[in-house]
Coordinates of all heavy atoms in Angstrom, one line a residue:
M1413 N 26.5 -4.9 -1.4 CA 25.5 -4.8 -0.3 C 24.1 -5.1 -0.8 O 23.7 -4.5 -1.8 CB 25.6 -3.5 0.3 CG 24.6 -3.3 1.6 SD 25.0 -1.8 2.4 CE 23.5 -1.4 3.0
N1414 N 23.4 -6.1 -0.2 CA 22.0 -6.4 -0.6 C 21.0 -5.4 -0.3 O 21.2 -4.8 0.9 CB 21.6 -7.8 -0.1 CG 22.4 -8.9 -0.6 OD1 23.0 -8.8 -1.7 ND2 22.6 -9.9 0.1
K1415 N 20.1 -5.1 -1.1 CA 19.0 -4.2 -0.9 C 18.1 -4.9 0.2 O 17.8 -6.1 0.0 CB 18.2 -3.8 -2.0 CG 18.9 -2.9 -2.9 CD 18.1 -2.6 -4.2 CE 17.6 -1.2 -4.2 NZ 16.8 -0.9 -5.4
P1416 N 17.5 -4.1 1.2 CA 16.6 -4.8 2.0 C 15.3 -5.2 1.3 O 15.0 -4.5 0.4 CB 16.3 -3.8 3.2 CG 16.7 -2.5 2.5 CD 17.7 -2.8 1.4
S1417 N 14.7 -6.3 1.6 CA 13.5 -6.7 1.1 C 12.2 -5.8 1.6 O 12.5 -5.1 2.6 CB 13.1 -8.1 1.5 OG 12.9 -8.2 2.8
I1418 N 11.2 -5.8 0.9 CA 10.1 -5.1 1.3 C 9.7 -5.5 2.7 O 9.3 -4.6 3.5 CB 8.9 -5.3 0.4 CG1 9.1 -4.6 -1.1 CG2 7.6 -4.7 0.9 CD1 8.2 -4.9 -2.1
A1419 N 9.6 -6.8 3.0 CA 9.4 -7.3 4.4 C 10.2 -6.7 5.3 O 9.9 -6.3 6.5 CB 9.4 -8.8 4.4
D1420 N 11.5 -6.6 5.1 CA 12.6 -6.1 6.0 C 12.2 -4.5 6.3 O 12.3 -4.1 7.3 CB 14.0 -6.1 5.5 CG 14.5 -7.6 5.4 OD1 13.9 -8.5 6.2 OD2 15.4 -7.8 4.6
C1421 N 11.9 -3.8 5.1 CA 11.6 -2.4 5.3 C 10.3 -2.2 6.2 O 10.2 -1.3 7.1 CB 11.3 -1.8 4.0 SG 12.7 -1.7 3.1
V1422 N 9.3 -2.9 6.0 CA 8.1 -3.0 6.8 C 8.4 -3.3 8.3 O 7.9 -2.7 9.3 CB 6.9 -3.9 6.2 CG1 5.8 -4.0 7.2 CG2 6.5 -3.5 4.9
R1423 N 9.1 -4.4 8.5 CA 9.5 -4.9 9.8 C 10.2 -3.7 10.5 O 9.9 -3.5 11.7 CB 10.3 -6.1 9.7 CG 10.6 -6.7 11.1 CD 11.4 -8.0 10.9 NE 10.6 -9.0 10.2 CZ 10.8 -9.5 8.9 NH1 11.8 -8.9 8.2 NH2 10.0 -10.3 8.4
E1424 N 11.2 -3.2 9.9 CA 12.0 -2.1 10.6 C 11.1 -0.9 10.9 O 11.3 -0.2 12.0 CB 13.1 -1.7 9.6 CG 14.0 -0.6 10.1 CD 15.2 -0.3 9.2 OE1 15.7 -1.2 8.6 OE2 15.4 0.9 9.1
N1425 N 10.2 -0.5 10.0 CA 9.4 0.6 10.3 C 8.3 0.4 11.3 O 8.1 1.2 12.1 CB 8.7 1.1 8.9 CG 9.6 2.0 8.1 OD1 9.8 3.2 8.4 ND2 10.3 1.4 7.2
L1426 N 7.9 -0.8 11.4 CA 7.0 -1.2 12.4 C 7.7 -1.2 13.8 O 7.1 -0.7 14.8 CB 6.3 -2.6 12.2 CG 5.2 -2.6 11.2 CD1 4.8 -4.0 10.8 CD2 4.0 -1.8 11.6
Q1427 N 8.8 -1.8 13.9 CA 9.7 -1.8 15.1 C 9.8 -0.3 15.6 O 9.7 0.1 16.7 CB 11.0 -2.3 14.9 CG 10.9 -3.9 14.6 CD 10.5 -4.6 15.9 OE1 10.3 -4.1 17.0 NE2 10.3 -5.9 15.7
S1428 N 10.2 0.6 14.6 CA 10.3 2.1 14.9 C 9.1 2.7 15.4 O 9.0 3.5 16.4 CB 10.9 2.8 13.7 OG 11.0 4.1 13.9
Y1429 N 8.0 2.4 14.7 CA 6.7 2.8 15.2 C 6.3 2.5 16.6 O 5.8 3.3 17.3 CB 5.6 2.3 14.1 CG 4.1 2.6 14.6 CD1 3.6 3.9 14.4 CD2 3.4 1.7 15.1 CE1 2.3 4.2 14.8 CE2 2.1 1.9 15.5 CZ 1.6 3.3 15.3 OH 0.2 3.5 15.7
L1430 N 6.5 1.3 16.9 CA 6.1 0.8 18.2 C 7.2 1.4 19.3 O 6.7 1.8 20.4 CB 6.3 -0.8 18.3 CG 5.1 -1.5 17.6 CD1 5.4 -3.0 17.5 CD2 3.8 -1.2 18.2
R1431 N 8.5 1.6 18.9 CA 9.3 2.4 19.9 C 8.9 3.7 20.1 O 8.9 4.3 21.2 CB 10.8 2.3 19.3 CG 11.5 1.1 19.6 CD 13.1 1.3 19.3 NE 13.4 1.7 17.9 CZ 13.4 0.8 16.9 NH1 13.3 -0.4 17.0 NH2 13.7 1.3 15.6
D1432 N 8.4 4.4 19.0 CA 8.0 5.8 19.2 C 6.8 5.9 19.9 O 6.5 7.0 20.5 CB 7.7 6.4 17.8 CG 9.1 6.6 16.9 OD1 10.1 6.5 17.5 OD2 9.0 6.8 15.7
L1433 N 6.0 4.9 20.1 CA 4.8 4.9 21.0 C 5.2 5.0 22.4 O 4.4 5.3 23.3 CB 3.9 3.7 20.7 CG 3.1 3.7 19.4 CD1 2.3 2.4 19.3 CD2 2.2 4.9 19.3
D1434 N 6.4 4.7 22.8 CA 7.0 4.8 24.1 C 6.0 4.2 25.2 O 5.7 4.8 26.2 CB 7.3 6.2 24.4 CG 8.2 6.4 25.6 OD1 9.0 5.5 25.8 OD2 8.0 7.4 26.2
G1435 N 5.7 2.9 24.9 CA 4.9 2.2 25.9 C 3.3 2.3 25.8 O 2.5 1.6 26.4
E1436 N 3.0 3.3 24.9 CA 1.5 3.5 24.7 C 1.0 2.2 23.9 O 1.7 1.7 23.2 CB 1.2 4.7 23.9 CG 1.4 6.0 24.6 CD 0.4 6.1 25.8 OE1 -0.7 5.9 25.5 OE2 0.9 6.6 26.8
T1437 N -0.3 1.8 24.1 CA -0.8 0.7 23.4 C -1.3 1.1 22.0 O -2.1 2.0 22.0 CB -2.1 0.0 24.2 OG1 -1.6 -0.3 25.6 CG2 -2.6 -1.1 23.6
P1438 N -0.8 0.4 21.0 CA -1.3 0.7 19.7 C -2.7 0.2 19.6 O -3.2 -0.7 20.1 CB -0.4 0.0 18.8 CG 0.2 -1.1 19.5 CD 0.2 -0.6 21.0
H1439 N -3.5 0.9 18.6 CA -4.8 0.4 18.3 C -5.0 0.4 16.8 O -4.7 1.3 16.1 CB -5.9 1.4 18.9 CG -5.9 1.3 20.3 ND1 -6.4 0.4 21.1 CD2 -5.3 2.2 21.3 CE1 -6.1 0.5 22.4 NE2 -5.6 1.7 22.5
G1440 N -5.8 -0.6 16.3 CA -6.0 -0.7 14.8 C -4.8 -0.6 13.9 O -4.9 -0.1 12.8
M1441 N -3.7 -1.3 14.3 CA -2.5 -1.4 13.5 C -2.7 -2.0 12.1 O -2.1 -1.6 11.1 CB -1.4 -2.1 14.2 CG -0.7 -1.3 15.4 SD 0.5 -2.2 16.2 CE 1.8 -2.5 14.8
Y1442 N -3.5 -3.0 12.1 CA -3.7 -3.8 10.9 C -4.4 -2.9 9.9 O -3.8 -2.7 8.7 CB -4.6 -5.0 11.1 CG -4.8 -5.8 9.8 CD1 -3.9 -6.7 9.4 CD2 -5.9 -5.6 9.0 CE1 -3.9 -7.4 8.2 CE2 -6.0 -6.3 7.8 CZ -5.1 -7.2 7.5 OH -5.4 -7.9 6.3
D1443 N -5.4 -2.2 10.2 CA -6.1 -1.3 9.2 C -5.3 -0.1 8.9 O -5.2 0.2 7.7 CB -7.5 -0.8 9.8 CG -8.5 -1.9 9.8 OD1 -8.4 -2.9 9.0 OD2 -9.5 -1.8 10.6
M1444 N -4.5 0.4 9.9 CA -3.6 1.6 9.6 C -2.5 1.0 8.5 O -2.3 1.7 7.5 CB -2.9 1.9 10.8 CG -2.0 3.1 10.7 SD -0.5 3.2 11.7 CE 0.2 1.5 11.8
L1445 N -1.9 -0.1 8.8 CA -0.9 -0.6 7.9 C -1.4 -0.8 6.5 O -0.8 -0.5 5.5 CB -0.2 -1.8 8.4 CG 1.0 -2.3 7.6 CD1 2.1 -1.2 7.6 CD2 1.5 -3.6 8.1
M1446 N -2.5 -1.4 6.4 CA -3.1 -1.6 5.1 C -3.4 -0.3 4.3 O -3.2 -0.3 3.1 CB -4.5 -2.6 5.2 CG -4.3 -3.9 5.7 SD -3.1 -4.9 4.6 CE -1.8 -5.1 5.8
R1447 N -3.9 0.6 5.0 CA -4.1 1.9 4.4 C -2.9 2.5 3.9 O -2.8 3.1 2.7 CB -4.8 2.9 5.4 CG -6.3 2.7 5.5 CD -7.0 3.9 6.2 NE -6.4 4.3 7.5 CZ -6.5 3.7 8.7 NH1 -7.4 2.7 8.8 NH2 -5.8 4.1 9.7
V1448 N -1.8 2.5 4.8 CA -0.6 3.2 4.3 C 0.2 2.5 3.3 O 1.0 3.2 2.5 CB 0.4 3.7 5.6 CG1 -0.3 4.6 6.5 CG2 0.9 2.5 6.2
V1449 N 0.0 1.3 3.2 CA 0.8 0.4 2.2 C -0.1 0.4 0.8 O 0.5 0.5 -0.3 CB 0.9 -1.0 2.6 CG1 1.4 -1.9 1.5 CG2 1.9 -1.0 3.8
E1450 N -1.3 0.4 0.9 CA -2.3 0.2 -0.2 C -2.0 1.4 -1.3 O -1.8 1.2 -2.4 CB -3.6 0.0 0.1 CG -4.5 -0.3 -1.1 CD -6.0 -0.7 -0.6 OE1 -6.7 0.3 -0.1 OE2 -6.3 -1.8 -0.9
K1451 N -2.1 2.7 -0.7 CA -2.0 3.7 -1.6 C -0.7 3.8 -2.4 O -0.8 4.0 -3.7 CB -2.2 5.0 -0.9 CG -2.3 6.3 -1.8 CD -2.6 7.5 -1.0 CE -2.7 8.7 -2.1 NZ -3.2 9.9 -1.5
P1452 N 0.5 3.8 -1.7 CA 1.7 3.8 -2.7 C 1.8 2.5 -3.6 O 2.3 2.7 -4.7 CB 2.8 3.8 -1.6 CG 2.3 3.6 -0.3 CD 0.8 3.8 -0.4
L1453 N 1.2 1.4 -3.1 CA 1.3 0.3 -4.1 C 0.5 0.5 -5.2 O 0.9 0.3 -6.5 CB 0.6 -0.9 -3.3 CG 0.3 -2.2 -4.1 CD1 1.7 -2.8 -4.7 CD2 -0.4 -3.2 -3.3
L1454 N -0.8 1.2 -5.1 CA -1.6 1.5 -6.3 C -0.9 2.6 -7.1 O -0.9 2.5 -8.4 CB -2.9 2.0 -5.8 CG -3.8 0.9 -5.1 CD1 -5.0 1.5 -4.5 CD2 -4.2 -0.2 -6.0
E1455 N -0.3 3.5 -6.4 CA 0.3 4.6 -7.2 C 1.5 4.1 -8.2 O 1.5 4.4 -9.3 CB 0.9 5.7 -6.3 CG -0.1 6.5 -5.6 CD 0.4 7.3 -4.5 OE1 1.5 7.0 -3.9 OE2 -0.2 8.4 -4.2
V1456 N 2.3 3.2 -7.6 CA 3.5 2.7 -8.3 C 3.0 1.7 -9.4 O 3.4 1.9 -10.6 CB 4.4 1.9 -7.4 CG1 5.4 1.1 -8.1 CG2 5.1 2.9 -6.4
V1457 N 2.0 0.9 -9.1 CA 1.6 -0.1 -10.2 C 0.9 0.8 -11.3 O 1.1 0.4 -12.5 CB 0.6 -1.1 -9.5 CG1 -0.2 -1.9 -10.6 CG2 1.4 -2.0 -8.7
M1458 N 0.1 1.7 -10.9 CA -0.6 2.5 -12.0 C 0.5 3.2 -12.8 O 0.3 3.2 -14.1 CB -1.6 3.5 -11.4 CG -2.9 2.8 -10.7 SD -3.8 1.7 -11.8 CE -4.4 2.9 -13.0
E1459 N 1.5 3.7 -12.3 CA 2.4 4.5 -12.9 C 3.2 3.5 -14.0 O 3.4 3.8 -15.1 CB 3.5 5.1 -12.0 CG 4.6 5.7 -12.7 CD 5.6 6.4 -11.7 OE1 5.2 6.8 -10.7 OE2 6.9 6.4 -12.1
H1460 N 3.4 2.3 -13.5 CA 4.2 1.3 -14.3 C 3.4 0.6 -15.4 O 4.0 0.1 -16.3 CB 4.9 0.3 -13.3 CG 6.2 0.8 -12.7 ND1 7.5 0.7 -13.2 CD2 6.4 1.5 -11.5 CE1 8.3 1.3 -12.6 NE2 7.7 1.7 -11.5
T1461 N 2.1 0.8 -15.2 CA 1.2 0.2 -16.2 C 0.7 1.2 -17.1 O -0.2 1.0 -18.0 CB 0.1 -0.6 -15.6 OG1 -0.8 0.3 -14.8 CG2 0.5 -1.9 -14.8
G1462 N 1.2 2.4 -17.1 CA 0.7 3.6 -17.9 C -0.7 3.9 -17.6 O -1.4 4.4 -18.5
H1463 N -1.1 3.6 -16.3 CA -2.4 4.0 -15.8 C -3.5 3.1 -16.6 O -4.7 3.5 -16.6 CB -2.9 5.4 -16.0 CG -2.1 6.2 -15.0 ND1 -2.2 6.4 -13.7 CD2 -0.7 6.8 -15.2 CE1 -1.2 7.2 -13.1 NE2 -0.4 7.4 -14.1
N1464 N -3.1 1.9 -17.0 CA -4.0 0.9 -17.7 C -4.6 0.1 -16.5 O -3.9 -0.7 -15.9 CB -3.2 0.1 -18.7 CG -4.1 -0.9 -19.3 OD1 -4.8 -1.5 -18.7 ND2 -3.9 -1.1 -20.7
Q1465 N -5.8 0.4 -16.2 CA -6.5 -0.3 -15.2 C -6.7 -1.8 -15.3 O -6.5 -2.6 -14.3 CB -7.9 0.3 -14.9 CG -7.9 1.7 -14.4 CD -9.2 2.3 -14.1 OE1 -10.2 1.6 -14.0 NE2 -9.3 3.6 -14.0
S1466 N -6.8 -2.2 -16.5 CA -7.0 -3.7 -16.7 C -5.6 -4.4 -16.4 O -5.6 -5.4 -15.8 CB -7.4 -4.0 -18.2 OG -8.7 -3.5 -18.4
R1467 N -4.5 -3.7 -17.0 CA -3.2 -4.4 -16.7 C -2.8 -4.2 -15.3 O -2.3 -5.2 -14.7 CB -2.1 -3.6 -17.5 CG -0.8 -4.4 -17.5 CD 0.3 -3.8 -18.3 NE -0.1 -3.4 -19.6 CZ 0.4 -2.3 -20.4 NH1 1.4 -1.6 -19.8 NH2 0.0 -2.1 -21.5
A1468 N -3.1 -3.1 -14.6 CA -2.8 -3.0 -13.2 C -3.5 -4.0 -12.3 O -3.0 -4.6 -11.5 CB -3.2 -1.5 -12.8
A1469 N -4.8 -4.3 -12.6 CA -5.7 -5.1 -11.9 C -5.0 -6.6 -12.1 O -5.0 -7.3 -11.1 CB -7.1 -5.2 -12.5
E1470 N -4.6 -6.9 -13.3 CA -4.0 -8.3 -13.6 C -2.7 -8.3 -12.7 O -2.5 -9.3 -12.1 CB -3.6 -8.3 -15.1 CG -3.0 -9.6 -15.3 CD -2.8 -9.8 -16.8 OE1 -3.5 -9.1 -17.7 OE2 -1.8 -10.5 -17.2
W1471 N -1.9 -7.3 -12.7 CA -0.6 -7.3 -11.9 C -0.8 -7.5 -10.5 O -0.1 -8.3 -9.8 CB 0.2 -5.9 -12.1 CG 0.9 -5.8 -13.4 CD1 0.7 -6.4 -14.5 CD2 1.9 -4.8 -13.5 NE1 1.5 -6.0 -15.5 CE2 2.3 -5.1 -15.0 CE3 2.6 -3.9 -12.8 CZ2 3.4 -4.2 -15.4 CZ3 3.7 -3.2 -13.3 CH2 4.1 -3.5 -14.7
L1472 N -2.0 -6.9 -10.0 CA -2.3 -6.9 -8.5 C -3.1 -8.2 -8.2 O -3.3 -8.5 -7.0 CB -3.1 -5.7 -8.1 CG -2.2 -4.3 -8.2 CD1 -3.2 -3.2 -8.1 CD2 -1.3 -4.3 -7.0
G1473 N -3.6 -8.9 -9.2 CA -4.5 -10.0 -8.9 C -5.8 -9.6 -8.3 O -6.5 -10.3 -7.5
L1474 N -6.3 -8.4 -8.8 CA -7.6 -8.0 -8.4 C -8.5 -7.9 -9.7 O -8.1 -7.9 -10.8 CB -7.4 -6.5 -7.9 CG -6.6 -6.3 -6.7 CD1 -6.6 -4.8 -6.5 CD2 -7.2 -6.9 -5.5
N1475 N -9.8 -7.9 -9.4 CA -10.8 -7.7 -10.3 C -10.8 -6.2 -10.7 O -10.4 -5.3 -9.8 CB -12.2 -8.0 -9.7 CG -13.4 -7.7 -10.6 OD1 -13.6 -6.4 -10.8 ND2 -14.1 -8.7 -11.0
R1476 N -10.9 -5.8 -12.0 CA -10.8 -4.4 -12.4 C -11.8 -3.5 -11.5 O -11.4 -2.4 -11.2 CB -11.1 -4.3 -13.9 CG -10.8 -2.9 -14.4 CD -11.0 -2.8 -15.9 NE -10.9 -1.4 -16.3 CZ -11.9 -0.6 -16.2 NH1 -13.1 -0.9 -15.7 NH2 -11.7 0.7 -16.7
N1477 N -13.0 -4.1 -11.3 CA -14.0 -3.2 -10.5 C -13.5 -2.9 -9.1 O -13.6 -1.9 -8.5 CB -15.3 -3.9 -10.4 CG -16.0 -3.8 -11.8 OD1 -15.7 -3.0 -12.6 ND2 -16.9 -4.8 -12.1
T1478 N -12.8 -3.9 -8.6 CA -12.2 -3.9 -7.2 C -11.1 -2.8 -7.2 O -11.0 -1.9 -6.3 CB -11.7 -5.2 -6.6 OG1 -12.7 -6.1 -6.6 CG2 -11.0 -5.0 -5.2
L1479 N -10.2 -2.8 -8.3 CA -9.2 -1.9 -8.4 C -9.8 -0.5 -8.5 O -9.3 0.5 -7.9 CB -8.3 -2.2 -9.6 CG -7.2 -1.1 -10.0 CD1 -6.3 -0.9 -8.8 CD2 -6.5 -1.5 -11.3
R1480 N -10.8 -0.3 -9.3 CA -11.5 1.0 -9.5 C -12.0 1.6 -8.2 O -11.8 2.7 -8.0 CB -12.5 0.8 -10.6 CG -13.1 2.3 -11.1 CD -13.9 2.1 -12.4 NE -14.5 3.3 -12.6 CZ -13.9 4.3 -13.1 NH1 -12.6 4.2 -13.4 NH2 -14.5 5.4 -13.5
K1481 N -12.6 0.7 -7.4 CA -13.1 1.2 -6.2 C -11.9 1.7 -5.3 O -12.0 2.7 -4.6 CB -13.8 -0.1 -5.5 CG -14.4 0.2 -4.1 CD -15.0 -1.0 -3.6 CE -15.2 -0.7 -2.1 NZ -15.7 -1.9 -1.3
K1482 N -10.8 0.9 -5.2 CA -9.6 1.2 -4.4 C -9.0 2.5 -4.8 O -8.6 3.4 -4.1 CB -8.6 0.1 -4.4 CG -9.1 -1.2 -3.6 CD -8.2 -2.2 -3.5 CE -8.6 -3.3 -2.7 NZ -8.8 -3.1 -1.2
L1483 N -8.9 2.7 -6.2 CA -8.5 4.0 -6.7 C -9.4 5.1 -6.3 O -8.9 6.3 -6.0 CB -8.3 3.8 -8.2 CG -7.3 2.9 -8.8 CD1 -7.4 2.8 -10.3 CD2 -5.9 3.3 -8.5
M1484 N -10.7 5.0 -6.3 CA -11.6 6.0 -5.9 C -11.4 6.2 -4.4 O -11.3 7.5 -4.0 CB -13.1 5.6 -6.3 CG -13.3 5.7 -7.7 SD -14.9 5.0 -8.2 CE -16.1 5.6 -7.0
E1485 N -11.3 5.2 -3.6 CA -11.2 5.5 -2.2 C -9.8 6.2 -1.8 O -9.8 7.1 -1.0 CB -11.0 4.1 -1.5 CG -12.2 3.3 -1.5 CD -12.0 1.9 -0.8 OE1 -10.9 1.5 -0.5 OE2 -13.0 1.1 -0.9
H1486 N -8.9 6.1 -2.6 CA -7.6 6.8 -2.5 C -7.4 8.0 -3.3 O -6.4 8.6 -3.3 CB -6.4 5.9 -2.7 CG -6.2 4.7 -1.7 ND1 -5.8 4.9 -0.3 CD2 -6.6 3.5 -1.7 CE1 -5.8 3.7 0.2 NE2 -6.2 2.8 -0.6
Q1487 N -8.5 8.4 -4.0 CA -8.5 9.6 -4.8 C -7.4 9.5 -5.9 O -6.6 10.6 -6.0 CB -8.5 10.9 -4.0 CG -9.7 10.9 -3.2 CD -9.5 12.2 -2.2 OE1 -8.5 12.8 -2.0 NE2 -10.7 12.5 -1.7
L1488 N -7.2 8.4 -6.5 CA -6.2 8.2 -7.6 C -6.7 8.1 -8.9 O -5.9 7.8 -9.9 CB -5.3 6.9 -7.2 CG -4.6 7.1 -5.8 CD1 -3.8 5.7 -5.6 CD2 -3.5 8.1 -5.9
L1489 N -7.9 8.2 -9.2 CA -8.5 8.1 -10.5 C -8.2 9.4 -11.3 O -8.2 10.5 -10.9 CB -10.0 8.0 -10.5 CG -10.5 6.7 -10.3 CD1 -12.1 6.6 -10.3 CD2 -10.1 5.6 -11.3
R1490 N -7.7 9.1 -12.5 CA -7.3 10.3 -13.4 C -8.4 10.9 -14.1 O -9.3 10.2 -14.5 CB -6.2 9.9 -14.4 CG -5.0 9.6 -13.7 CD -4.0 9.1 -14.6 NE -2.8 10.0 -14.5 CZ -1.9 10.3 -15.4 NH1 -2.0 9.8 -16.5 NH2 -1.0 11.2 -15.1

């Protein structure tokens, strides 16, 4: 059995989220999704890079200063 892709997982969870709204109009979905995806992404990448910010920034395709700012925003600096 194939593992679902990240896109499949996101799609399934968004479908569930919209069903759970039960007809209510969602607001700010884009920003909400970016916030809930960004923190675990940063956590996992930092863990797999041994908390090496330079390497993590390279993996993510970000400037190291941008990564540092995002880590501060999510209170993930050690």
Side-chain angles (χ1 to χ4, degrees):
M1413 184 169 145
N1414 290 338
K1415 286 178 116 176
S1417 69
I1418 293 173
D1420 290 338
C1421 292
V1422 170
R1423 186 176 297 104
E1424 182 178 319
N1425 279 278
L1426 283 172
Q1427 293 289 357
S1428 177
Y1429 172 76
L1430 291 171
R1431 274 192 305 275
D1432 290 348
L1433 287 177
D1434 198 30
E1436 290 292 318
T1437 302
H1439 297 282
M1441 284 182 63
Y1442 181 84
D1443 287 338
M1444 177 211 46
L1445 183 62
M1446 292 304 109
R1447 277 192 314 275
V1448 298
V1449 169
E1450 187 172 63
K1451 185 173 182 177
L1453 170 64
L1454 294 172
E1455 289 171 335
V1456 168
V1457 169
M1458 291 304 294
E1459 180 182 327
H1460 281 270
T1461 60
H1463 297 273
N1464 181 312
Q1465 291 180 19
S1466 295
R1467 187 178 318 152
E1470 183 180 328
W1471 283 22
L1472 293 165
L1474 297 174
N1475 174 291
R1476 187 176 172 280
N1477 290 333
T1478 301
L1479 172 61
R1480 188 165 175 75
K1481 178 182 169 193
K1482 289 180 178 297
L1483 292 171
M1484 287 173 42
E1485 288 171 5
H1486 292 286
Q1487 300 176 343
L1488 296 174
L1489 278 179
R1490 291 182 124 203

